[in-house]
């Protein structure tokens, strides 16, 4: 029979070390195995009523790492309010100062570099990188479609603007990964409505297609303006995520490809083929795709 839930007031709503709770007499080993608690990491537990999100696992990591560790990259982006940057089951990214020993742990990504103080937000629990530093690390560490999706949301929420991205590139000019960051920042656009649209736009551009415009206005009548999700106005080719405007666009002479979110994930090669064919029919000639570097460590 499983132990009955028992939550001492000192542990309610908390993330804590199991051995410490036992040493203080707050719980027995038997009680620690009850449904009142969730095990997050070795010897790290939390009140099972807490939201199982990325914040929770960041708090768990902070208990198992030495002082000076900073939450970074997609994990920091989540703590800054970018909900799609990381999930409960994703690895937690941290930056460790040079010379700091951090034991390898499942679910932990360790990046080693020395951060200047102005790259860290003071008095936060757990400590995290600033928005500009977070944007730089994301551009270096994540695949470009995911990185652009996070940056798009940062721009849309007003955490950054394009002048900030330019300033970040200037600060890091010449460092390893600066070219990759420049390519990623160049694709970021705060007008993108959601992460799925951001990832599709990025994947298409990386194949060598001309960059599509987001919600380009198409006037069909004085009182009727359509905003297709993505469009190549020069070639009169558009992408629509839903079906209700496709007939109107087709009647107006646009070649329109229906690409619902699920199709992007499951059928991207055929989506790409259809878009290429439509652009070819309208006179587009392909060029070489952009060269993207592999993810790199911070510098």
């Amino acid at each position: 029979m499983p132990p009955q839930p028992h939550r001492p007031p000192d542990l309610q709503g908390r993330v804590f070390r199991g051995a410490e709770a036992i040493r203080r007499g707050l719980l027995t080993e038997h009680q620690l195995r009850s449904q009142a608690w969730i095990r997050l990491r070795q010897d790290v537990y939390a009140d099972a009523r807490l939201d199982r999100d990325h914040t929770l696992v960041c708090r768990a990591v902070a208990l198992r790492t030495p002082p000076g560790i900073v939450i970074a990259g997609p994990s920091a982006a989540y703590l800054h309010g970018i909900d799609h940057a990381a999930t409960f089951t994703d690895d937690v990214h941290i930056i460790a100062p040079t010379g700091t020993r951090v034991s390898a742990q499942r679910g932990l990504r360790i990046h080693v570099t020395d951060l200047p103080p102005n790259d860290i937000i003071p008095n936060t629990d757990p400590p995290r990188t600033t928005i500009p530093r977070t944007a730089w690390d994301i551009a270096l560490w994540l695949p470009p479609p995911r990185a652009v999706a996070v940056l798009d949301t940062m721009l849309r929420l007003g955490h950054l603007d394009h002048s900030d991205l330019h300033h970040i590139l200037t600060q890091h000019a010449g460092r390893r990964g600066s070219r990759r960051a420049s390519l990623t920042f160049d694709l970021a656009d705060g007008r993108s409505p959601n992460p799925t649209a951001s990832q599709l736009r990025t994947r298409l551009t990386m194949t060598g297609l001309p960059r599509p415009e987001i919600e380009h206005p198409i006037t069909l009548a004085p009182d009727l303006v359509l905003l297709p999700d993505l469009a190549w106005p020069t070639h009169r080719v558009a992408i629509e995520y839903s079906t209700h405007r496709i007939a109107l666009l087709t009647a107006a002479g646009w070649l329109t490809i229906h690409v619902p979110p699920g199709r992007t994930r499951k059928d991207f090669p055929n989506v790409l083929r259809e878009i290429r064919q439509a652009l070819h029919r309208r006179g587009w000639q392909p060029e070489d795709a952009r060269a993207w570097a592999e993810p790199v460590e911070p510098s």
Side-chain angles (χ1 to χ4, degrees):
M1 182 175 179
Q4 292 298 309
H6 168 63
R7 294 185 177 92
D10 286 356
L11 299 180
Q12 292 185 19
R14 296 280 305 280
V15 179
F16 59 93
R17 297 297 294 261
E20 176 68 10
I22 293 171
R23 186 190 66 78
R24 293 173 57 195
L26 299 174
L27 293 172
T28 66
E29 291 187 21
H30 186 64
Q31 289 170 332
L32 193 57
R33 292 193 295 271
S34 80
Q35 296 180 354
W37 316 109
I38 176 176
R39 183 179 182 274
L40 299 173
R41 295 289 190 275
Q42 182 179 352
D43 193 42
V44 179
Y45 297 81
D47 189 328
R49 298 170 299 184
L50 292 171
D51 291 336
R52 299 189 185 188
D53 57 16
H54 200 67
T55 297
L56 192 62
V57 288
C58 286
R59 291 171 62 187
V61 163
L63 280 183
R64 288 208 64 207
T65 49
I69 299 303
V70 180
I71 303 295
S75 298
Y78 184 89
L79 297 180
H80 284 301
I82 314 300
D83 290 345
H84 62 85
T87 69
F88 178 70
T89 57
D90 286 335
D91 290 350
V92 175
H93 288 251
I94 63 170
I95 289 179
T98 304
T100 302
R101 293 191 61 184
V102 182
S103 60
Q105 305 170 29
R106 185 169 59 180
L108 183 65
R109 299 286 295 276
I110 305 168
H111 310 270
V112 179
T113 193
D114 293 315
L115 290 175
N118 60 0
D119 277 353
I120 305 170
I121 298 180
N123 304 318
T124 54
D125 184 22
R128 68 205 64 168
T129 52
T130 61
I131 286 284
R133 178 70 203 204
T134 299
W136 168 259
D137 291 333
I138 281 171
L140 268 60
W141 300 347
L142 295 186
R146 279 193 61 201
V148 171
V150 174
L151 293 168
D152 282 357
T153 305
M154 286 182 168
L155 291 168
R156 187 171 68 250
L157 295 179
H159 293 337
L160 291 167
D161 58 31
H162 285 282
S163 65
D164 295 320
L165 296 180
H166 177 75
H167 181 66
I168 294 166
L169 290 175
T170 301
Q171 280 187 311
H172 295 275
R175 295 186 181 181
R176 187 182 180 208
S178 57
R179 183 172 180 273
R180 176 188 176 89
S182 179
L183 290 169
T184 304
F185 284 3
D186 183 56
L187 283 176
D189 193 320
R191 297 173 299 167
S192 187
N194 56 63
T196 300
S198 298
Q199 294 201 32
L200 175 60
R201 187 182 84 249
T202 304
R203 292 180 71 183
L204 292 174
T205 305
M206 288 176 65
T207 67
L209 293 184
R211 184 184 304 190
E213 294 190 21
I214 300 169
E215 296 185 341
H216 173 77
I218 301 172
T219 302
L220 301 184
D223 59 347
L224 180 58
V225 178
L226 297 185
L227 301 172
D229 298 298
L230 295 173
W232 292 266
T234 301
H235 306 287
R236 296 174 69 81
V237 173
I239 289 175
E240 275 291 303
Y241 304 143
S242 60
T243 59
H244 67 281
R245 295 181 296 194
I246 291 179
L248 290 172
L249 288 167
T250 301
W254 285 70
L255 295 178
T256 308
I257 296 92
H258 181 219
V259 187
R263 191 177 179 212
T264 300
R265 294 189 300 270
K266 300 175 183 177
D267 196 30
F268 181 75
N270 283 326
V271 169
L272 177 61
R273 177 181 55 80
E274 291 178 23
I275 295 170
R276 281 184 177 275
Q277 289 176 345
L279 290 169
H280 278 305
R281 288 174 59 186
R282 293 295 171 85
W284 171 72
Q285 295 298 320
E287 298 177 359
D288 290 338
R290 294 179 172 210
W292 292 86
E294 290 300 314
V296 298
E297 290 303 297
S299 60

